[in-house]
């Protein structure tokens, strides 16, 4: 392994893996026990340091208060987990998992490992990506790239060999998250053209539903039930029925129950069915039908279930590709991406997309989108803004993430102010630029073009909303599209009216004597109609009134320009 090489890490909800390129091939590294899968579980014992992996996973039932699992679901939030060792952030718990992987890799490779590529669900937002990067840094890594899991999986499945131009769906149902992404391969470049998902939907939900079913059926709440249920679920991927035994569950009695695959399917089907809407939305965003796809690949341990494979086959109308180990595909792809960055893999590029639109709040409470969702990253985009009020000394830059037309309906990611010299209304010029780096992390720059004064902010604000709310936002943007657009149009019409009325009054004071009485009466009538339309709140009436006033004051505007030109010539001594 060369000094410049980089490890690839799948930081999973249920299990995590680490790999490195060896002799041109991606190799997943095993721990001291020869196991490549490391359970993403941390236990805080009564004495000694925290332990990570397989032994802690057996402590979940015995000491749940001090055993932390599925921490990935809390990434990007301010929630803390409380243990006997104190309070820990999701980043700190994740860092402990990454430290374990780092130690395993260094033991296997017999050298220090400091650089890494880490994968995240494609649907992770800015705060969640930042938290993942922070966890890697806490663990002692330089995080070279944050990569979307479906993109990494496409690499692992060898989708680059399909042909010069191919379209691939990646269905990723893991322990705690679900992603569906549509990728396009074109001349060695992987590009995510649409992505959707739910970062709080996965195998954990099936496990919980199965445990509830068994607890109700057997009328027990044995601490071993969770582990027993998961083992039974795994067996049913290959068998049609299995025996669940709880020997001496109360110290004396034993229980035995036969669970069939059909019975498990009835429990799991409602959870798997929740992925349908995400898949259809992703296809719609990509403007594709299932028939347009060249392949569908499966990722995540839950896709071993025959129920899931049947569901995907029916939904996408084709046999899914199951040639790779679904538990290891993302880690293999992360390792290949690490090879691309280090130069060990040639002639291949990965391009991801941002899952939600990013913008700022503008005057009137509108959301001004600077980077639309599903834009390819890394990228830069910007716009020029001006002062809404005369004498304004600063501009508040409120950074938003979401799909709604009004600022209040989107998520605030951060806010800062840029000061500038006071200027008449509409005269100041402030450039705002958004840059999303290769990790999907947002940097915002605001610059006063007159003085060159600027501020650059890396957005790290956690968004304290559940991941279900991410999905709800997109659904609501569709559900309320008509009402949102109507409100936006009305707001814009009000802003225009409130800008035109004082401007016309000012023009009448300056050059009104040059208008005929008939023209002045007509302008006054048009102004009264704008005021009445403003009062009524009727958008079409207001738009029509604005247009009529704009048209009816053309002569007045021409006189104003002529007066200004005359005054300029007088100052120069020409007149």
């Amino acid at each position: 392994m060369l000094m410049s090489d980089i490890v690839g890490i799948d930081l999973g909800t249920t299990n995590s893996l680490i790999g490195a390129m060896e002799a041109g091939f991606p190799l997943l590294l095993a721990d001291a026990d020869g196991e490549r899968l490391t359970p993403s579980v941390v236990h805080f014992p009564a004495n000694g340091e925290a332990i990570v992996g397989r032994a802690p996973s057996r402590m979940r039932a015995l000491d749940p208060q001090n055993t932390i699992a599925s921490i990935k679901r809390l990434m990007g939030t301010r929630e803390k987990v409380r243990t006997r060792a104190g309070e820990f952030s999701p980043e700190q718990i994740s860092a402990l998992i990454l430290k374990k992987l780092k130690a395993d890799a260094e033991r296997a490779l017999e050298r220090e490992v400091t650089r890494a590529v880490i994968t995240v669900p494609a649907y992770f937002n800015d705060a969640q990506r930042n938290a993942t990067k922070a966890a890697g840094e806490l663990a002692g890594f330089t995080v070279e790239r944050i990569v979307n899991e479906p993109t990494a999986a496409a690499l692992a499945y060898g989708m680059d060999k399909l042909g010069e131009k191919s379209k691939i769906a990646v269905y990723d149902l893991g322990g705690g998250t679900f992603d569906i992404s549509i990728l396009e391969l074109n001349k060695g470049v992987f590009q995510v053209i649409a992505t959707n998902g739910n970062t709080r939907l996965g195998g954990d939900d099936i496990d919980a539903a199965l445990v509830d079913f068994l607890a109700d059926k057997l009328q027990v709440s044995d601490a071993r039930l969770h582990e027993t249920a998961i083992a039974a679920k795994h067996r049913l991927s290959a068998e049609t029925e299995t025996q669940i035994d709880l020997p001496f569950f109360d110290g004396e009695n034993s229980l035995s129950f036969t669970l069939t695959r059909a019975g498990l399917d009835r429990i799991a089907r409602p959870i798997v069915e929740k992925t349908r809407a995400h898949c259809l939305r992703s296809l719609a965003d990509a403007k594709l039908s299932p028939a347009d796809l060249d392949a569908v690949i499966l990722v995540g341990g839950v896709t071993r279930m025959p129920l899931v494979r049947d569901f995907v086959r029916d939904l996408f109308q084709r046999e899914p590709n199951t040639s790779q180990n679904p538990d290891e595909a993302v880690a293999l792809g992360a390792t290949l991406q690490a090879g691309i960055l280090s130069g060990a893999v040639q002639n291949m590029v990965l391009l991801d997309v941002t899952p939600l639109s990013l913008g700022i709040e503008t005057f009137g409470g509108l959301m001004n989108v600077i980077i639309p969702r599903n834009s390819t990253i890394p990228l830069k985009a910007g716009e020029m803004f001006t002062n809404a009020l005369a004498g304004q000394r600063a501009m508040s830059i409120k950074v938003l993430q979401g799909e709604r037309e009004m600022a209040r309906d989107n998520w605030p990611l951060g806010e800062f102010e840029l000061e500038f010299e006071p200027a008449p209304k509409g005269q100041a010029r402030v450039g705002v630029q958004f840059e999303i780096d290769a990790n999907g992390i947002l940097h915002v720059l605001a610059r006063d073009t007159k003085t060159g004064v600027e501020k650059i902010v890396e957005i790290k604000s956690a968004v304290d909303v559940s991941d279900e709310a991410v999905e709800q936002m997109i659904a609501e943007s569709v559900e309320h599209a008509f009402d949102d657009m109507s409100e936006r149009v009305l707001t814009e019409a009000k802003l225009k009216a409130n800008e035109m009325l004082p401007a016309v009054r000012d023009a009448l004071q300056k050059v009104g004597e040059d208008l005929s009485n008939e023209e002045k009466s007509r302008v006054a009538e048009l102004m009264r109609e704008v005021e009445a339309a403003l009062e009524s709140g009727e958008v079409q009436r207001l738009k029509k009134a604005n247009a009529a006033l704009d048209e009816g004051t053309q002569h007045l505007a021409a006189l104003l320009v002529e007066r200004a030109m005359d005054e300029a010539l007088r100052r120069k001594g020409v007149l």
Side-chain angles (χ1 to χ4, degrees), residues 280-330:
L280 295 176
R281 194 169 298 136
S282 189
L283 282 169
D285 287 345
K287 297 180 174 59
L288 297 174
S289 70
D292 297 321
L293 298 173
D294 296 288
V296 177
I297 63 177
L298 299 181
V299 181
V302 186
T303 63
R304 293 180 187 276
M305 295 179 66
L307 167 70
V308 176
R309 296 187 175 190
D310 291 344
F311 173 84
V312 172
R313 183 187 301 108
D314 292 343
L315 179 61
F316 290 100
Q317 301 165 28
R318 68 173 57 244
E319 194 69 32
N321 185 329
T322 59
S323 61
Q324 288 290 330
N325 181 334
D327 290 307
E328 297 182 348
V330 169

Side-chain angles (χ1 to χ4, degrees), residues 18 74 113 143 173 225 227 231 242 249 291 352 393 478 495 519 523:
I18 188 167
L74 299 183
V113 172
V143 181
L173 186 57
L225 193 56
E227 192 172 334
T242 188
F249 73 94
D352 284 337
R393 294 176 175 270
V478 176
L495 289 172
E519 280 184 296
V523 169

Side-chain angles (χ1 to χ4, degrees), residues 245-256:
D245 296 309
L246 289 175
F248 308 113
F249 73 94
D250 60 357
E252 294 182 15
N253 300 300
S254 300
L255 284 175
S256 183

